[in-house]
Amino acid sequence: MAATIALLPVLTLPVLTLTACGAGDTSGTTPAGAQASPAPTDDPVAAVRKVDSVAALLPAETRESGTLRVGSSIGFPPGAYYPNGQDKPPAGQDIDIADAVAKVLGVKLERQSASFETILPALDSGKYDFGTGNFGVTTERLKSIDFVTYINDGQGFAVKKGNTALKTKVTDLAQLCGLTIGTGAGTTFEATLTAQKGVCAKAGKKPYDVKVYSENGATLTALQQGRIDVIMSTINGLRYQASQPASQTTFLGEYHRLDVGFAFKKSSSLTKAFQAAVNELIKDGTYARILKKWGTSPSAIEASRINPPEHT
């Protein structure tokens, strides 16, 4: 999912975007009506301890250094956002799961905030050991990226509350013909909309228009101001956003499910250790507690997988 419209460090309203996805830029404008979205106070990660048999799966150089560099796209709740401002630590489901995996592996994370679209290209250069940002597993990405899955999310749509352009769940992109759609740069949403743009011509309808935003606050502002009709973004992000009165959005349901995973350069030596760590968290109940904390329990997976095929 890159996955994905987002909440910004200066914007503490649950905005949407990058997933399948991904989260977005860490700068932007604050939409009208934005309010603080405080993080839940419970801490299921606190009790997690190193599991020697899992840590042993790490390459020797990682065990010796004791650190991993992670490029994190900090965007929207419940995935990853800044509930207390950009100068304070981020919070969210992705943050908790990554931190819990690191504790199982007995390593510390050096987290670097980065824009969503820059993380995957930076993996091959070695800038980061892995990336997080609600990255959806797609056939195209699997050509150059390794994934270790930790949740199932996907693509969905939202409109401004009271908007009558779309009244029902989007099951066919032809329903969007003649509308203006806002989404995030470098996301699966953008790729899907671009690839399927011919559906309107086939249906004899006016094509839809796609506006791409690198700042997620700008996407929500555009929706609120009527410059776009609908947002395409991550299911969990849009659902969370719609639950916040200040956003004034309505979630139109799921369109396409995608597995979401930690991203690594191709043939990474870290994937087996990460898979085992996620499965350890599933087994001991920490995983379920993290998802419950962030309201994403319906997106739970039964077991982590390395490079599963894209959902069809």
Side-chain angles (χ1 to χ4, degrees), residues 243-311:
S243 72
Q244 307 299 306
S247 73
Q248 289 296 299
T249 61
T250 298
F251 177 55
L252 292 182
E254 302 177 7
Y255 174 70
H256 178 53
R257 277 277 172 180
L258 284 171
D259 287 314
V260 170
F262 297 112
F264 305 82
K265 69 178 182 181
K266 208 64 183 172
S267 302
S268 171
S269 59
L270 296 171
T271 55
K272 289 184 178 179
F274 269 68
Q275 180 191 32
V278 174
N279 285 333
E280 180 67 27
L281 295 170
I282 292 173
K283 183 176 70 174
D284 73 13
T286 301
Y287 175 79
R289 289 191 290 274
I290 291 173
L291 268 56
K292 182 179 179 180
K293 171 183 176 179
W294 294 104
T296 56
S297 296
S299 289
I301 58 174
E302 294 182 359
S304 176
R305 295 194 290 170
I306 297 173
N307 295 337
E310 180 179 352
H311 286 288

Coordinates of all heavy atoms in Angstrom, one line a residue, residues 243-311:
S243 N -13.5 8.9 11.5 CA -14.0 8.8 12.9 C -13.7 10.1 13.7 O -14.2 10.3 14.8 CB -13.3 7.6 13.6 OG -12.0 7.9 13.9
Q244 N -12.9 11.0 13.1 CA -12.5 12.3 13.7 C -13.5 13.4 13.2 O -13.4 13.7 12.0 CB -11.1 12.6 13.5 CG -10.1 11.5 13.8 CD -10.2 11.1 15.3 OE1 -10.0 12.0 16.2 NE2 -10.4 9.9 15.6
P245 N -14.3 14.0 14.1 CA -15.3 15.0 13.6 C -14.6 16.1 12.8 O -15.3 16.7 11.9 CB -15.9 15.4 14.9 CG -15.8 14.3 15.8 CD -14.5 13.7 15.5
A246 N -13.4 16.6 13.2 CA -12.8 17.7 12.6 C -12.5 17.5 11.1 O -12.5 18.5 10.4 CB -11.6 18.1 13.3
S247 N -12.3 16.3 10.7 CA -11.9 16.0 9.3 C -13.1 16.2 8.4 O -12.9 16.5 7.2 CB -11.4 14.6 9.2 OG -12.4 13.7 9.3
Q248 N -14.4 16.0 8.9 CA -15.6 16.2 8.0 C -15.5 15.3 6.8 O -15.8 15.8 5.7 CB -15.8 17.6 7.7 CG -16.2 18.5 8.9 CD -17.6 18.1 9.4 OE1 -18.6 18.1 8.7 NE2 -17.6 17.7 10.7
T249 N -15.1 14.0 6.9 CA -15.0 13.2 5.8 C -15.9 11.9 6.0 O -16.2 11.6 7.1 CB -13.6 12.7 5.5 OG1 -13.1 12.0 6.6 CG2 -12.7 13.9 5.2
T250 N -16.3 11.3 4.9 CA -17.0 10.0 5.0 C -16.3 8.9 4.2 O -15.9 9.1 3.1 CB -18.4 10.2 4.3 OG1 -19.2 11.2 5.0 CG2 -19.2 8.9 4.3
F251 N -16.0 7.8 4.9 CA -15.3 6.7 4.3 C -16.2 5.9 3.4 O -17.3 5.5 3.8 CB -14.7 5.8 5.4 CG -14.0 4.6 5.0 CD1 -13.0 4.7 4.1 CD2 -14.4 3.4 5.4 CE1 -12.3 3.6 3.6 CE2 -13.7 2.2 5.0 CZ -12.7 2.3 4.1
L252 N -15.8 5.6 2.2 CA -16.7 4.9 1.2 C -16.3 3.4 1.1 O -16.8 2.8 0.1 CB -16.6 5.6 -0.1 CG -17.2 7.0 -0.2 CD1 -17.0 7.5 -1.7 CD2 -18.6 7.0 0.2
G253 N -15.6 2.9 2.0 CA -15.3 1.5 2.0 C -14.1 1.1 1.3 O -13.3 1.8 0.7
E254 N -13.8 -0.3 1.4 CA -12.6 -0.8 0.8 C -12.7 -1.0 -0.7 O -13.8 -1.4 -1.2 CB -12.3 -2.2 1.5 CG -12.2 -2.1 3.0 CD -11.9 -3.5 3.6 OE1 -11.8 -4.5 2.9 OE2 -11.9 -3.5 4.8
Y255 N -11.7 -0.8 -1.4 CA -11.6 -1.0 -2.9 C -10.8 -2.2 -3.2 O -11.2 -3.2 -3.9 CB -11.1 0.2 -3.6 CG -10.9 0.0 -5.1 CD1 -12.0 -0.2 -5.9 CD2 -9.7 -0.1 -5.6 CE1 -11.9 -0.5 -7.3 CE2 -9.5 -0.3 -7.0 CZ -10.6 -0.5 -7.8 OH -10.4 -0.7 -9.1
H256 N -9.5 -2.2 -2.7 CA -8.6 -3.3 -3.0 C -7.7 -3.6 -1.8 O -7.0 -2.6 -1.3 CB -7.8 -3.0 -4.2 CG -6.8 -4.0 -4.6 ND1 -7.1 -5.3 -4.8 CD2 -5.4 -3.9 -4.8 CE1 -6.0 -6.0 -5.2 NE2 -5.0 -5.2 -5.2
R257 N -7.7 -4.8 -1.3 CA -6.8 -5.1 -0.1 C -5.4 -5.4 -0.6 O -5.1 -5.9 -1.7 CB -7.3 -6.4 0.6 CG -8.4 -6.1 1.6 CD -7.9 -5.6 2.9 NE -8.9 -5.1 3.8 CZ -8.6 -4.7 5.0 NH1 -7.4 -4.7 5.5 NH2 -9.6 -4.3 5.8
L258 N -4.4 -5.0 0.3 CA -3.0 -5.3 0.0 C -2.3 -5.6 1.3 O -2.6 -5.1 2.4 CB -2.3 -4.0 -0.5 CG -2.5 -3.6 -2.0 CD1 -1.9 -2.2 -2.3 CD2 -1.9 -4.6 -2.9
D259 N -1.4 -6.6 1.2 CA -0.5 -6.9 2.3 C 0.4 -5.7 2.5 O 0.9 -5.1 1.5 CB 0.3 -8.2 2.1 CG -0.6 -9.4 2.3 OD1 -1.3 -9.5 3.2 OD2 -0.4 -10.3 1.4
V260 N 0.8 -5.4 3.7 CA 1.7 -4.3 4.0 C 2.9 -4.9 4.7 O 2.7 -5.7 5.6 CB 1.0 -3.2 4.8 CG1 2.0 -2.2 5.4 CG2 -0.1 -2.5 4.0
G261 N 4.1 -4.4 4.4 CA 5.3 -5.0 5.0 C 6.4 -4.0 5.2 O 6.5 -2.9 4.7
F262 N 7.4 -4.5 6.0 CA 8.7 -3.8 6.1 C 9.3 -4.0 4.8 O 9.2 -5.0 4.1 CB 9.6 -4.4 7.2 CG 9.0 -4.3 8.6 CD1 8.6 -5.4 9.3 CD2 8.9 -3.1 9.2 CE1 8.1 -5.3 10.6 CE2 8.4 -3.0 10.5 CZ 8.0 -4.1 11.2
A263 N 10.0 -2.9 4.3 CA 10.6 -3.0 3.0 C 12.1 -3.1 3.1 O 12.8 -2.4 3.9 CB 10.2 -1.7 2.2
F264 N 12.7 -3.9 2.3 CA 14.2 -4.1 2.3 C 14.7 -4.1 0.8 O 14.0 -4.4 -0.1 CB 14.5 -5.5 2.9 CG 14.0 -5.7 4.2 CD1 12.7 -6.1 4.4 CD2 14.8 -5.5 5.4 CE1 12.2 -6.4 5.7 CE2 14.3 -5.8 6.6 CZ 13.0 -6.2 6.8
K265 N 16.0 -3.9 0.7 CA 16.6 -4.1 -0.7 C 16.5 -5.5 -1.1 O 16.4 -6.4 -0.2 CB 18.0 -3.6 -0.7 CG 19.0 -4.5 0.1 CD 20.4 -3.9 0.0 CE 21.4 -4.8 0.7 NZ 22.8 -4.3 0.6
K266 N 16.5 -5.8 -2.3 CA 16.4 -7.2 -2.8 C 17.5 -8.1 -2.3 O 18.6 -7.7 -2.2 CB 16.4 -7.2 -4.4 CG 15.6 -8.3 -5.0 CD 14.1 -8.2 -4.6 CE 13.3 -9.4 -5.2 NZ 11.9 -9.4 -4.7
S267 N 17.1 -9.3 -1.9 CA 18.0 -10.3 -1.4 C 18.6 -9.9 -0.1 O 19.8 -10.2 0.2 CB 19.1 -10.6 -2.4 OG 18.5 -11.1 -3.6
S268 N 17.9 -9.1 0.7 CA 18.3 -8.7 2.0 C 18.6 -9.9 2.9 O 17.8 -10.8 2.9 CB 17.3 -7.7 2.7 OG 17.7 -7.4 4.0
S269 N 19.6 -9.8 3.8 CA 19.9 -10.8 4.8 C 19.1 -10.7 6.0 O 19.2 -11.4 7.0 CB 21.4 -10.8 5.1 OG 21.8 -9.6 5.6
L270 N 18.2 -9.6 6.1 CA 17.4 -9.3 7.3 C 16.0 -9.9 7.3 O 15.4 -10.0 8.4 CB 17.3 -7.8 7.5 CG 18.6 -7.0 7.7 CD1 18.3 -5.5 7.6 CD2 19.2 -7.4 9.0
T271 N 15.5 -10.4 6.2 CA 14.1 -10.7 6.1 C 13.7 -11.9 7.0 O 12.6 -11.8 7.6 CB 13.7 -11.0 4.6 OG1 14.6 -12.0 4.1 CG2 13.9 -9.8 3.8
K272 N 14.5 -12.9 7.0 CA 14.1 -14.1 7.8 C 14.0 -13.7 9.3 O 13.1 -14.2 10.0 CB 15.1 -15.2 7.6 CG 15.0 -15.9 6.2 CD 15.9 -17.1 6.1 CE 15.7 -17.7 4.7 NZ 16.6 -18.9 4.6
A273 N 15.0 -12.9 9.8 CA 14.9 -12.5 11.2 C 13.7 -11.6 11.5 O 13.0 -11.8 12.5 CB 16.2 -11.7 11.5
F274 N 13.4 -10.7 10.6 CA 12.2 -9.9 10.8 C 10.9 -10.7 10.7 O 10.0 -10.5 11.5 CB 12.1 -8.8 9.7 CG 12.8 -7.5 10.1 CD1 14.2 -7.5 10.3 CD2 12.1 -6.4 10.4 CE1 14.9 -6.3 10.7 CE2 12.7 -5.2 10.8 CZ 14.1 -5.2 10.9
Q275 N 10.8 -11.7 9.8 CA 9.6 -12.5 9.7 C 9.5 -13.3 11.0 O 8.4 -13.4 11.6 CB 9.8 -13.5 8.6 CG 8.6 -14.5 8.4 CD 8.8 -15.6 7.5 OE1 10.0 -16.1 7.3 NE2 7.8 -16.0 6.8
A276 N 10.6 -13.9 11.5 CA 10.5 -14.6 12.8 C 10.1 -13.7 13.9 O 9.4 -14.1 14.9 CB 11.8 -15.3 13.1
A277 N 10.6 -12.5 13.9 CA 10.2 -11.5 15.0 C 8.8 -11.2 15.0 O 8.1 -11.1 16.0 CB 11.1 -10.3 14.9
V278 N 8.2 -10.9 13.8 CA 6.8 -10.6 13.7 C 6.0 -11.8 14.2 O 5.0 -11.6 14.9 CB 6.4 -10.2 12.3 CG1 4.9 -10.0 12.2 CG2 7.1 -8.9 11.9
N279 N 6.3 -13.0 13.8 CA 5.6 -14.2 14.2 C 5.7 -14.4 15.7 O 4.8 -14.9 16.3 CB 6.1 -15.4 13.4 CG 5.6 -15.4 11.9 OD1 4.5 -14.8 11.7 ND2 6.3 -16.0 11.0
E280 N 6.8 -14.1 16.3 CA 7.0 -14.2 17.7 C 6.0 -13.2 18.4 O 5.4 -13.6 19.4 CB 8.4 -13.8 18.1 CG 8.7 -13.9 19.6 CD 8.6 -15.3 20.2 OE1 8.8 -16.3 19.4 OE2 8.3 -15.4 21.4
L281 N 5.9 -12.0 17.9 CA 4.9 -11.0 18.5 C 3.5 -11.5 18.3 O 2.6 -11.2 19.2 CB 5.1 -9.7 17.8 CG 6.5 -9.0 18.0 CD1 6.6 -7.8 17.1 CD2 6.6 -8.6 19.5
I282 N 3.2 -12.2 17.2 CA 1.8 -12.7 17.0 C 1.6 -13.8 18.0 O 0.5 -13.9 18.6 CB 1.7 -13.2 15.5 CG1 1.7 -12.1 14.5 CG2 0.4 -14.0 15.4 CD1 1.7 -12.5 13.1
K283 N 2.6 -14.7 18.2 CA 2.4 -15.8 19.1 C 2.3 -15.4 20.5 O 1.4 -15.9 21.3 CB 3.7 -16.7 19.0 CG 3.6 -18.0 19.8 CD 4.8 -18.9 19.6 CE 6.0 -18.3 20.1 NZ 7.2 -19.3 20.0
D284 N 3.0 -14.4 21.0 CA 2.9 -14.0 22.4 C 1.8 -13.0 22.7 O 1.7 -12.6 23.9 CB 4.3 -13.5 22.9 CG 4.7 -12.1 22.4 OD1 3.9 -11.4 21.9 OD2 5.9 -11.8 22.5
G285 N 1.1 -12.5 21.7 CA 0.0 -11.7 21.9 C 0.3 -10.2 21.9 O -0.7 -9.4 21.9
T286 N 1.5 -9.8 21.7 CA 1.9 -8.4 21.6 C 1.3 -7.8 20.4 O 0.8 -6.6 20.4 CB 3.4 -8.2 21.6 OG1 4.0 -8.8 22.8 CG2 3.8 -6.7 21.5
Y287 N 1.4 -8.5 19.3 CA 0.8 -8.0 18.0 C -0.6 -7.6 18.1 O -1.1 -6.5 17.7 CB 1.1 -9.1 17.0 CG 0.5 -8.8 15.6 CD1 1.1 -7.9 14.7 CD2 -0.7 -9.4 15.2 CE1 0.6 -7.7 13.5 CE2 -1.2 -9.2 13.9 CZ -0.5 -8.3 13.0 OH -1.1 -8.1 11.8
A288 N -1.4 -8.5 18.7 CA -2.9 -8.3 18.9 C -3.1 -7.0 19.8 O -4.0 -6.2 19.5 CB -3.6 -9.5 19.4
R289 N -2.3 -6.9 20.8 CA -2.5 -5.7 21.7 C -2.1 -4.4 21.0 O -2.8 -3.4 21.2 CB -1.6 -5.9 22.9 CG -2.1 -7.0 23.9 CD -1.4 -7.0 25.2 NE -0.1 -7.4 25.1 CZ 0.3 -8.7 25.2 NH1 -0.6 -9.7 25.3 NH2 1.6 -9.1 25.1
I290 N -1.1 -4.4 20.1 CA -0.7 -3.2 19.3 C -1.9 -2.8 18.4 O -2.3 -1.7 18.3 CB 0.6 -3.4 18.6 CG1 1.8 -3.5 19.5 CG2 0.8 -2.3 17.6 CD1 3.1 -3.9 18.8
L291 N -2.4 -3.8 17.7 CA -3.5 -3.5 16.8 C -4.8 -3.0 17.5 O -5.5 -2.1 17.0 CB -3.8 -4.7 15.9 CG -3.1 -4.8 14.6 CD1 -1.6 -4.8 14.8 CD2 -3.5 -6.0 13.8
K292 N -5.0 -3.6 18.7 CA -6.2 -3.2 19.4 C -6.0 -1.7 19.9 O -6.9 -0.9 19.9 CB -6.4 -4.1 20.7 CG -7.6 -3.7 21.5 CD -7.7 -4.6 22.7 CE -8.9 -4.3 23.6 NZ -9.1 -5.2 24.7
K293 N -4.8 -1.4 20.3 CA -4.5 0.0 20.7 C -4.8 1.0 19.6 O -5.3 2.1 19.9 CB -3.0 0.1 21.1 CG -2.4 1.5 21.3 CD -0.9 1.4 21.6 CE -0.4 2.8 21.7 NZ 1.1 2.8 22.0
W294 N -4.5 0.6 18.4 CA -4.7 1.6 17.3 C -6.0 1.4 16.5 O -6.2 2.0 15.4 CB -3.4 1.5 16.4 CG -2.2 2.0 17.1 CD1 -1.2 1.3 17.6 CD2 -1.9 3.4 17.4 NE1 -0.3 2.1 18.2 CE2 -0.7 3.4 18.1 CE3 -2.6 4.6 17.2 CZ2 -0.1 4.6 18.6 CZ3 -2.0 5.8 17.7 CH2 -0.8 5.7 18.4
G295 N -6.8 0.4 16.9 CA -8.1 0.2 16.3 C -8.0 -0.4 14.9 O -8.9 -0.3 14.1
T296 N -7.0 -1.3 14.7 CA -6.8 -1.9 13.4 C -6.9 -3.4 13.5 O -6.4 -4.1 12.6 CB -5.4 -1.5 12.8 OG1 -4.4 -1.8 13.7 CG2 -5.4 0.0 12.5
S297 N -7.5 -3.9 14.5 CA -7.6 -5.4 14.7 C -8.1 -6.1 13.4 O -7.7 -7.2 13.1 CB -8.4 -5.7 15.9 OG -7.8 -5.3 17.1
P298 N -9.1 -5.5 12.7 CA -9.6 -6.2 11.5 C -8.5 -6.5 10.4 O -8.7 -7.2 9.5 CB -10.7 -5.3 11.0 CG -11.2 -4.6 12.2 CD -9.9 -4.4 13.0
S299 N -7.4 -5.7 10.5 CA -6.3 -5.9 9.5 C -5.2 -6.8 10.0 O -4.2 -6.9 9.3 CB -5.7 -4.5 9.3 OG -6.6 -3.7 8.5
A300 N -5.5 -7.6 11.0 CA -4.5 -8.5 11.5 C -4.2 -9.6 10.5 O -5.1 -10.1 9.8 CB -4.9 -9.1 12.8
I301 N -2.9 -10.1 10.5 CA -2.6 -11.3 9.7 C -2.3 -12.4 10.6 O -2.0 -12.2 11.8 CB -1.3 -11.0 8.9 CG1 -0.1 -10.6 9.7 CG2 -1.6 -9.9 7.8 CD1 1.2 -10.4 9.0
E302 N -2.5 -13.6 10.1 CA -2.2 -14.8 11.0 C -0.8 -15.2 11.1 O -0.3 -15.7 12.1 CB -3.0 -16.0 10.4 CG -4.5 -15.9 10.4 CD -5.2 -17.1 9.9 OE1 -4.5 -18.0 9.5 OE2 -6.5 -17.1 9.9
A303 N 0.0 -14.8 10.1 CA 1.5 -15.1 10.1 C 2.1 -14.2 9.1 O 1.6 -13.8 8.1 CB 1.8 -16.6 9.7
S304 N 3.4 -13.8 9.4 CA 4.1 -12.9 8.5 C 4.7 -13.8 7.4 O 5.0 -14.9 7.5 CB 5.3 -12.3 9.3 OG 6.1 -11.6 8.4
R305 N 4.7 -13.2 6.2 CA 5.3 -13.8 5.0 C 6.4 -13.0 4.4 O 6.3 -11.7 4.5 CB 4.2 -14.1 4.0 CG 3.2 -15.1 4.5 CD 2.3 -15.7 3.4 NE 1.4 -14.6 2.9 CZ 0.7 -14.8 1.7 NH1 0.8 -15.8 1.0 NH2 -0.1 -13.8 1.4
I306 N 7.3 -13.6 3.7 CA 8.3 -12.9 2.9 C 7.8 -12.9 1.4 O 7.6 -14.0 0.9 CB 9.7 -13.6 3.1 CG1 10.1 -13.5 4.5 CG2 10.7 -12.9 2.1 CD1 11.4 -14.3 4.8
N307 N 7.7 -11.7 0.9 CA 7.4 -11.6 -0.6 C 6.1 -12.4 -1.0 O 6.2 -13.1 -2.0 CB 8.6 -11.9 -1.4 CG 9.8 -11.0 -1.2 OD1 9.6 -9.9 -0.8 ND2 11.0 -11.5 -1.5
P308 N 5.0 -12.2 -0.4 CA 3.8 -12.9 -0.9 C 3.4 -12.2 -2.2 O 3.7 -11.1 -2.4 CB 2.8 -12.7 0.2 CG 3.2 -11.3 0.8 CD 4.7 -11.4 0.8
P309 N 2.6 -12.9 -3.0 CA 2.1 -12.3 -4.2 C 1.1 -11.3 -3.9 O 0.4 -11.3 -2.9 CB 1.5 -13.5 -5.0 CG 1.1 -14.5 -3.9 CD 2.2 -14.4 -2.9
E310 N 0.9 -10.3 -4.8 CA -0.1 -9.3 -4.6 C -1.5 -9.9 -4.6 O -1.8 -10.8 -5.4 CB 0.0 -8.2 -5.7 CG -1.0 -7.1 -5.6 CD -0.9 -6.0 -6.7 OE1 0.1 -6.1 -7.5 OE2 -1.7 -5.2 -6.8
H311 N -2.3 -9.3 -3.8 CA -3.7 -9.8 -3.8 C -4.4 -9.4 -5.1 O -4.1 -8.4 -5.7 CB -4.5 -9.0 -2.7 CG -4.2 -9.5 -1.3 ND1 -4.7 -10.8 -0.8 CD2 -3.6 -9.0 -0.3 CE1 -4.3 -10.9 0.4 NE2 -3.6 -9.8 0.8

